[in-house]
Amino acid sequence: FENTAKLKKGDLAVLDFEHYDADQMTHEQARNFILLYSVRNHGSFPVLYTGASFINEVLGDKIDNLLSNCPLWIAQYNNKEIKVPPTWNDWMLWQYTDGTNGNEPHYTDGAGNVDRNIFNGSLAELYKFWE
C-alpha cells in the first residue's frame, strides 16, 4: 500500500472495508492494516469506509477498540438518520446515496447521478479535519 499510494505528511488515507465476494477483506486483515498504518504514521489512523449492514454483520454488538480510533465514513442508503455501530460514538461522513438508491438529492451538476456524502460538522470543522 505504502509503495503504491506514496502518501505524504498530511494526506488522508481511507481503508475501504466492505463486502467484495471472495476477495472480501477479513476483520483480522482490516485490524492488521490499521495497526500497521498507525505504527508507521506515528499514531494517526486512517478513515474507515464501510457499509452499515456489512459492519454490523462483522462486529455485531461487539466493540472493537482498535477500529474505534478510525473516523467512520458509513454508507447507509435506507434511513434519514444513521444508526452508529457500537464501536463508534459518531460518524464523520455519511454516504447517503449511491446515485440511485437512498435519500435525495442524487443528481450533481456536471456529474449526474453519483455517490453523495454529508460531513458531520461545519465547513470550518471539515477544513480543520482535512488539515
Side-chain angles (χ1 to χ4, degrees):
F1 171 79
E2 289 176 339
N3 291 338
T4 301
K6 294 181 175 48
L7 296 177
K8 296 182 268 336
K9 184 177 173 126
D11 286 348
L12 182 63
V14 178
L15 174 61
D16 187 350
F17 183 41
E18 55 185 324
H19 184 68
Y20 283 114
D21 299 321
D23 295 331
Q24 177 180 334
M25 177 183 287
T26 67
H27 182 199
E28 182 180 354
Q29 289 169 327
R31 288 179 52 82
N32 288 339
F33 175 87
I34 291 165
L35 185 58
L36 184 60
Y37 180 89
S38 173
V39 167
R40 292 190 176 173
N41 291 279
H42 311 288
S44 66
F45 290 87
V47 171
L48 183 76
Y49 173 82
T50 190
S53 59
F54 174 74
I55 199 66
N56 286 318
E57 180 183 309
V58 169
L59 297 178
D61 291 334
K62 297 176 190 164
I63 294 176
D64 186 316
N65 291 320
L66 180 63
L67 269 59
S68 71
N69 290 293
C70 300
L72 179 62
W73 180 3
I74 193 160
Q76 183 176 323
Y77 307 145
N78 60 352
N79 290 341
K80 296 284 182 195
E81 255 179 56
I82 296 293
K83 182 179 177 198
V84 179
T87 290
W88 292 271
N89 292 324
D90 215 343
W91 53 275
M92 182 195 67
L93 286 166
W94 171 20
Q95 183 179 334
Y96 64 86
T97 181
D98 62 1
T100 303
N101 302 298
N103 300 327
E104 296 282 343
H106 295 165
Y107 184 82
T108 300
D109 288 342
N113 287 5
V114 295
D115 297 352
R116 292 192 59 152
N117 301 274
I118 295 174
F119 177 73
N120 192 8
S122 68
L123 184 58
E125 289 168 323
L126 175 62
Y127 285 139
K128 185 176 180 180
F129 174 78
W130 208 265
E131 290 176 356

